[in-house]
């Protein structure tokens, strides 16, 4: 299974982590608590009359800042009554353009804190905009939002004065800027201590806490304390150690903690109520995380994973070659009965659409009768219309029907262009007759069929390649018969993350490969999707098998808007992958 490896970017496999990825410890973060007194509530029409600020770090006060500001307008009487600031007091005070440089220098590099901090920041940003300066870029902490989440059951309200009295803070607010800033600083320290009981020890977690603590299961936030900020897979487990849910993330800590805040799916509340432990596995990259997630889902079948709940119910399309008059059907299990299977398919509805497309292009039988019941019995509707060679009509011999099936098998496996040509002609005819809804229906059926055939092509191409080594940036991955086997980093070849041998059976390139089972198909699809997303970044270093497809391309019936890299991958399969200088000459053709 995977080893514990350094987390990397899903797209580029970069290994160097930033301090933000590691999380900034709160005792190292400088905070500047700011409070403003103004002439009113609107930054568009009102001005600042006083600024107070205090700089804190690690529980220590590093300095204070206080100044009156000439607002350039009259101070309303009600504001004077509230704050005690009169027109005479600000008459000789500096204007905001003279104050702002020193305030910005005082707050440089610190996180802005305030009680209803949006009010204070809005006035500062309005002043900066009028002065032609850039707006404040620093992240901010709102003690009002933190108090509402952490103390709402202990206090009648979260006004600064109420909190200062109930919590017995050292400083009391007085509607003067510095006094209020000092009181807010005391409140911040109290809230940091309370937040630590929930496992909040880093700046990023503190910023997210007002939303996280809003969950009814906020008391379980401590289960996320050991989660790193790296890519990997996480598992929610109940009291019996059974896996409830498996997921993957590029940032494990951030993703798991989001379940306590922004994730509003209906079953998340029940999931959190039943969760008693959260395990995780760090992965080297997004591809490993995707594969490990799939394997764990198929192994445990977690009931909160929709994919896990249906993993054993994927439908297949079966052509019953072991019957005298083969027909198409939807089945749930692949047997060793020499029938031709296509799939797995996402749903029974999708499988039926594929069957409708095949039946529209080939006269395969549609009824359940294998022979004419009596000379006077009526043939089925499709036989009467002449769109199928059903034996119930009595007009098709077993040998003639065998020729129809032989051609259908050839078209499904190697010549899809001949199978899809009648559908394309029908779409053109219906469009010419302005029967657009019917043309769209045929197009959708043809698109379902081509999607399935194209997916099989991609699966088979990767499975025939044997051991395939790819490089992206400074990292490498190895696929074994299409499934992820190992990965590593060019700067450290001695260490790698390795999976158990997938055990996919090998087959000579000239023989048809068996249809992939459900778990294998999911993994192959994850690998194919990753290759398509990174087609312009991946270099092929080594191929043991054959990475080429001599078959004609599968036509496209439903073009979709995609990114340039995705369009390139769709158009040419693996062709965009760059070839290493040490790799063999190109044995790459088209996946499609």
């Amino acid at each position: 299974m995977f080893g514990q490896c350094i987390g990397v970017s899903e797209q580029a496999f970069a290994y160097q982590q930033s301090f933000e990825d590691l999380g900034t410890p709160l005792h190292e973060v400088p905070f500047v608590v700011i409070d403003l007194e103004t002439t009113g509530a609107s930054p568009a029409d009102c001005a600042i009359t006083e600024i107070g600020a205090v700089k804190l770090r690690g529980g220590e006060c590093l300095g204070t800042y206080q100044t009156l500001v000439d607002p350039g307008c009259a101070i309303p009487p009600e504001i004077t009554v509230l704050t005690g600031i009169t027109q005479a007091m600000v008459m000789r005070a500096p204007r905001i353009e003279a104050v702002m440089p020193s305030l910005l220098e005082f707050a440089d590099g610190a996180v802005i804190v305030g009680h209803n901090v949006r009010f204070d920041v809005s006035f500062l940003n309005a002043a900066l905009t009028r002065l032609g300066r850039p707006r404040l870029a620093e992240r901010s902490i709102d003690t009002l939002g933190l108090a509402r989440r952490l103390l709402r059951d202990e206090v009648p309200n979260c006004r600064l004065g109420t909190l200062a009295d109930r919590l017995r803070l050292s400083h009391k607010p007085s509607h003067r800027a510095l006094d209020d800033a000092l009181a807010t600083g005391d409140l911040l320290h109290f809230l940091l201590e309370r937040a630590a009981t929930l496992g909040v020890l880093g700046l990023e977690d503190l910023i997210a806490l007002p939303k996280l603590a809003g969950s009814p299961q906020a008391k379980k936030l401590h289960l996320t304390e050991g989660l790193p900020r790296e890519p990997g897979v996480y598992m929610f487990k109940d009291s019996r150690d059974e896996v409830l849910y498996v997921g993957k993330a590029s940032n494990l800590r951030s993703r798991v903690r989001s379940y306590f805040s922004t994730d509003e799916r209906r079953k998340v509340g029940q999931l959190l109520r039943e969760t008693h432990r959260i395990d995780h596995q760090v992965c080297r990259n997004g591809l490993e995380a995707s594969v490990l997630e799939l394997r764990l889902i198929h192994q445990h079948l977690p009931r909160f994973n929709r994919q896990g709940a249906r993993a054993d119910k994927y439908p297949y399309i079966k052509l019953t070659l072991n019957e005298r008059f083969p027909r198409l059907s939807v089945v749930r299990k692949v047997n060793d009965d020499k029938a031709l299977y296509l799939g797995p398919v996402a749903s029974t509805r999708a499988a039926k659409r594929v069957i409708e497309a095949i039946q529209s292009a080939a006269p395969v039988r549609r009824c359940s009768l294998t022979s004419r019941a009596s000379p006077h019995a009526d043939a089925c509707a499709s036989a009467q219309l002449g769109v199928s060679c059903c034996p119930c009509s009595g007009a098709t011999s077993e040998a003639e029907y065998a020729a129809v099936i032989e051609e259908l098998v050839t078209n499904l496996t190697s010549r899809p262009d001949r199978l899809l040509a009648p559908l394309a002609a029908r779409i053109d005819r219906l469009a010419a007759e302005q029967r657009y809804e019917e043309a769209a229906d045929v197009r959708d059926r043809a698109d379902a069929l081509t999607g399935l055939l194209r997916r099989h092509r991609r699966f088979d191409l990767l499975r025939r390649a044997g051991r395939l080594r790819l490089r992206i940036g400074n990292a490498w991955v190895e696929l074994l018969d299409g499934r992820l086997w190992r990965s590593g980093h060019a700067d450290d070849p001695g260490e790698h993350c390795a999976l158990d041998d997938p055990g996919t059976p090998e087959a000579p390139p000239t023989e048809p490969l068996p249809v992939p089972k459900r778990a294998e198909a999911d993994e192959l699809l994850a690998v194919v999707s990753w290759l398509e997303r990174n087609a312009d970044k991946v270099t092929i270093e080594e191929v043991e098998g054959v990475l080429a497809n001599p078959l004609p391309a599968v036509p496209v019936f439903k073009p979709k808007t995609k990114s340039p890299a995705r369009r390139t991958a769709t158009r040419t399969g693996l062709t965009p992958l760059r070839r290493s200088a040490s790799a063999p000459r190109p044995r790459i053709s088209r996946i499609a």
Side-chain angles (χ1 to χ4, degrees):
M1 295 302 292
F2 293 100
Q4 292 285 343
C5 301
I6 299 175
V8 298
S9 166
E10 177 170 350
Q11 296 297 330
F13 282 2
Y15 266 70
Q16 184 174 357
Q17 291 182 329
S18 66
F19 289 108
E20 184 176 348
D21 293 330
L22 297 173
T24 308
L26 287 173
H27 67 273
E28 298 179 2
V29 177
F31 297 100
V32 168
V33 184
I34 291 180
D35 186 83
L36 306 180
E37 300 302 330
T38 66
T39 60
S42 172
D45 305 324
C46 304
I48 300 171
T49 58
E50 187 179 29
I51 300 176
V54 55
K55 181 175 285 189
L56 307 169
R57 184 174 61 194
E60 180 184 359
C61 178
L62 303 181
T64 61
Y65 180 98
Q66 181 184 28
T67 182
L68 290 169
V69 180
D70 181 0
C73 62
I75 300 177
E78 61 271 18
I79 298 298
T80 298
V81 171
L82 178 66
T83 65
I85 300 176
T86 65
Q87 197 73 41
M89 295 170 63
V90 299
M91 184 176 299
R92 296 184 179 181
R95 298 294 296 269
I96 189 64
E97 53 265 26
V99 171
M100 195 59 73
S102 59
L103 176 63
L104 295 177
E105 182 180 358
F106 183 79
D108 184 42
V111 177
I112 302 299
V113 180
H115 201 70
N116 190 17
V117 71
R118 289 183 298 177
F119 176 85
D120 302 292
V121 169
S122 67
F123 270 87
L124 292 176
N125 281 332
L128 289 171
T129 300
R130 287 193 295 269
L131 297 174
R133 288 175 171 266
R135 295 164 64 90
L136 293 175
E138 289 81 1
R139 290 171 290 185
S140 61
I141 301 294
D142 189 358
T143 54
L144 176 61
L146 289 174
R148 284 173 174 169
R149 297 306 186 189
L150 299 176
L151 304 174
R152 59 184 175 182
D153 296 332
E154 305 174 27
V155 293
N157 60 67
C158 291
R159 295 174 182 170
L160 184 59
T162 303
L163 294 173
D165 291 338
R166 292 300 181 101
L167 303 178
R168 299 180 181 179
L169 300 181
S170 300
H171 297 88
K172 304 298 181 182
S174 63
H175 290 294
R176 292 299 299 269
L178 184 58
D179 288 344
D180 290 4
L182 290 170
T184 304
D186 294 341
L187 175 61
L188 175 66
H189 288 148
F190 182 90
L191 294 173
L192 291 181
E193 293 180 3
R194 179 64 63 90
T197 63
L198 299 177
V200 177
L201 304 175
L203 175 60
E204 292 74 20
D205 290 341
L206 182 66
I207 293 174
L209 182 59
K211 293 182 179 180
L212 295 175
S215 168
Q217 302 299 322
K219 61 180 180 296
K220 293 186 178 181
L221 272 172
H222 69 277
L223 299 177
T224 67
E225 289 180 14
L227 296 176
R229 301 179 187 277
E230 301 180 48
V233 175
Y234 55 92
M235 291 186 292
F236 288 86
K237 294 186 174 181
D238 62 12
S239 57
R240 296 172 296 181
D241 209 36
E242 293 183 2
V243 178
L244 299 172
Y245 182 80
V246 177
K248 67 177 185 297
S250 58
N251 184 321
L252 286 167
R253 185 179 182 88
S254 176
R255 178 69 187 100
V256 174
R257 292 175 75 88
S258 71
Y259 285 87
F260 295 87
S261 60
T262 58
D263 200 321
E264 298 179 355
R265 287 176 291 178
R266 180 173 54 87
K267 292 186 178 181
V268 168
Q270 182 182 352
L271 171 64
L272 295 179
R273 285 193 294 273
E274 297 187 29
T275 298
H276 281 253
R277 198 173 88 197
I278 302 175
D279 291 347
H280 74 279
Q281 176 69 58
V282 175
C283 298
R284 188 174 290 266
N285 53 68
L287 178 59
E288 285 185 1
S290 297
V291 171
L292 179 57
E293 178 194 34
L294 289 170
R295 294 193 176 185
L296 291 173
I297 288 175
H298 285 288
Q299 176 184 350
H300 297 287
L301 296 179
R303 55 191 174 90
F304 283 93
N305 280 94
R306 184 174 61 177
Q307 186 176 11
R310 67 184 185 189
D312 58 344
K313 300 177 182 179
Y314 289 152
Y316 290 81
I317 298 168
K318 177 181 179 180
L319 181 59
T320 56
L321 299 179
N322 53 347
E323 294 182 349
R324 290 176 54 220
F325 292 91
R327 62 190 178 95
L328 294 163
S329 62
V330 180
V331 297
R332 297 285 180 178
K333 186 177 180 181
V334 176
N335 297 315
D336 187 14
D337 54 6
K338 299 184 179 181
L340 176 65
Y341 290 88
L342 299 174
V345 190
S347 65
T348 301
R349 181 179 180 181
K352 290 181 177 179
R353 292 193 72 82
V354 173
I355 290 178
E356 290 172 357
I358 297 174
Q359 290 174 341
S360 299
V364 63
R365 79 177 173 99
R366 305 185 186 185
C367 66
S368 59
L369 298 176
T370 57
S371 63
R372 191 170 184 124
S374 70
H376 304 289
D378 292 332
C380 67
S382 59
Q384 293 181 35
L385 293 173
V387 295
S388 67
C389 298
C390 294
C392 61
S393 66
T396 305
S397 66
E398 188 172 343
E400 291 172 334
Y401 192 79
V404 171
I405 295 300
E406 182 179 357
E407 181 180 5
L408 176 59
V409 172
T410 301
N411 293 344
L412 286 172
T413 56
S414 59
R415 293 302 305 269
D417 54 317
R418 296 194 308 200
L419 179 65
L420 295 166
L423 295 176
R426 186 176 180 187
I427 293 173
D428 292 340
R429 186 178 69 254
L430 291 172
E433 297 173 0
Q434 298 185 1
R435 297 159 64 182
Y436 299 119
E437 292 185 1
E438 296 178 59
D441 185 61
V442 177
R443 181 203 60 195
D444 292 343
R445 295 179 190 177
D447 183 63
L449 175 57
T450 55
L452 178 60
L453 295 177
R454 193 176 295 113
R455 186 164 64 248
H456 270 279
R457 290 277 187 89
R458 293 168 178 169
F459 289 175
D460 289 350
L461 181 65
L462 290 174
R463 289 195 290 174
R464 294 183 194 280
R467 189 174 70 87
L468 174 61
R469 184 182 176 96
L470 305 171
R471 179 169 57 84
I472 177 169
N474 291 324
W476 55 266
V477 296
E478 284 190 4
L479 306 178
L480 182 61
D481 299 333
R483 300 173 70 183
L484 181 62
W485 180 32
R486 300 190 304 168
S487 73
H489 194 261
D491 298 335
D492 190 7
E495 291 197 15
H496 61 268
C497 297
L499 285 78
D500 298 330
D501 188 338
T504 307
E506 296 183 1
T510 57
E511 295 183 4
L513 293 172
V515 64
K517 297 301 194 311
R518 299 175 178 93
E520 181 185 357
D522 280 344
E523 289 190 32
L524 287 170
L525 185 58
V527 172
V528 167
S529 299
W530 180 82
L531 285 173
E532 288 185 345
R533 290 195 304 271
N534 298 279
D536 57 339
K537 304 180 184 72
V538 175
T539 300
I540 299 176
E541 292 191 329
E542 187 177 351
V543 184
E544 286 190 349
V546 176
L547 190 62
N549 185 8
L551 301 176
V554 178
V556 176
F557 281 84
K558 198 173 184 179
K560 298 177 182 178
T561 302
K562 299 176 181 177
S563 64
R566 189 68 178 266
R567 286 197 298 268
T568 302
T570 303
R571 184 173 62 253
T572 60
L574 290 181
T575 304
L577 303 187
R578 299 187 298 274
R579 182 177 59 86
S580 171
S582 60
R585 292 302 300 171
R587 288 182 285 176
I588 302 174
S589 181
R590 303 170 69 94
I591 290 184

